[in-house]
Amino acid sequence: MPRKTFTHPNTPTSVPLSPAARAGDLVFISGQVPTDPSGNIVGSNVTEQTHQVFKNCQAALALAGASFDDVVKVNVYLTDVNYFAAMNEVYKQYFPESPPTRTTVGTPLARLGLLIEIDMVAYAPL
């Protein structure tokens, strides 16, 4: 099954990744962080950063012709597990019914100031 990668004009060339990749009917979204198109971190708390991450996830899904309705698996990475409740309140706004499967872990992230990162897998038949 051939794979197709998708890039966004705002993806920094110094970052060796594709925001989205499609393999048949499956769409994989790279870990999205709370940055704007210039790479600046958006938000000073986990609620604001989670909203920005979902905005970035939505844009990455759209590159491959998918949406939140197609998402079947979500991985959430938090720098502090104490952010779980606040992240979860935002999460419920994007998946109000029939939420996808999810794993949430606490871990340091690659860049100072990032409180959250999310990656997704979607099933979006061609």
Side-chain angles (χ1 to χ4, degrees), residues 1-4 6 21-28 61 64-67 70-72 121-126:
M1 165 183 345
R3 101 183 144 93
K4 180 175 181 177
F6 300 87
R22 180 182 271 280
D25 293 339
L26 294 175
V27 175
F28 300 87
L61 286 163
S67 71
D70 302 311
V71 174
V72 295
V121 178
Y123 176 73
L126 292 169

Side-chain angles (χ1 to χ4, degrees), residues 74-90:
V74 176
N75 292 310
V76 178
Y77 308 94
L78 297 170
T79 58
D80 186 332
V81 293
N82 292 310
Y83 296 149
F84 182 83
M87 174 281 299
N88 205 45
E89 287 305 309
V90 175

Side-chain angles (χ1 to χ4, degrees), residues 39-102:
N40 299 310
I41 295 174
V42 174
S44 60
N45 61 56
V46 76
T47 297
E48 294 169 347
Q49 287 196 10
T50 303
H51 279 294
Q52 183 63 40
V53 167
F54 271 101
K55 181 178 175 183
N56 295 348
C57 286
Q58 186 174 33
L61 286 163
L63 290 172
S67 71
F68 289 135
D69 290 337
D70 302 311
V71 174
V72 295
K73 175 66 173 148
V74 176
N75 292 310
V76 178
Y77 308 94
L78 297 170
T79 58
D80 186 332
V81 293
N82 292 310
Y83 296 149
F84 182 83
M87 174 281 299
N88 205 45
E89 287 305 309
V90 175
Y91 187 95
K92 289 190 287 189
Q93 295 173 36
Y94 293 90
F95 297 110
E97 296 179 24
S98 301
T101 62
R102 179 176 81 187

